[in-house]
């Protein structure tokens, strides 16, 4: 489903909401099975959110939480803790 979402919205402008949501869907879809592959996707999503949608605090916090979970899955707990502290 994440891959289908990504393929569908790939042609949209980079900063568009649909494009960023597609990246998030892809990252979240592959996180449980392959967190090492999901990490750069989630990092890209957070970067795009901060650049184009910095006013959407809820989306940014959600993405930070997903990224922190991915880092924890990869046993990078110190980095995950930093993100969790930013959220709270």
């Amino acid at each position: 489903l994440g891959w289908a979402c990504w393929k569908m919205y790939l042609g949209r402008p980079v900063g568009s909401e649909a494009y960023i949501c597609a990246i998030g869907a892809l990252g979240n879809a592959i996180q449980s099975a392959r967190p090492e592959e999901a990490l750069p996707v989630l990092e890209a999503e957070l970067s795009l959110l901060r650049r184009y949608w910095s006013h959407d605090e809820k989306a940014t916090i959600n993405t930070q939480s997903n990224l922190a979970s991915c880092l924890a899955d990869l046993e990078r707990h110190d980095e995950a803790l930093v993100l969790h502290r930013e959220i709270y």
Side-chain angles (χ1 to χ4, degrees), residues 18-35:
Y19 185 90
I20 295 171
C21 286
I23 289 176
L26 176 61
N28 292 332
I30 61 176
Q31 179 181 345
S32 61
R34 298 180 292 203

Side-chain angles (χ1 to χ4, degrees), residues 36-62:
E36 66 282 348
E37 293 178 19
L39 182 63
V41 176
L42 295 171
E43 289 172 333
E45 179 190 13
L46 182 59
S47 177
L48 287 169
L49 275 171
R50 286 180 172 164
R51 182 172 181 185
Y52 295 106
W53 290 85
S54 59
H55 62 279
D56 191 345
E57 189 175 314
K58 184 177 178 180
T60 303
I61 289 171
N62 186 43

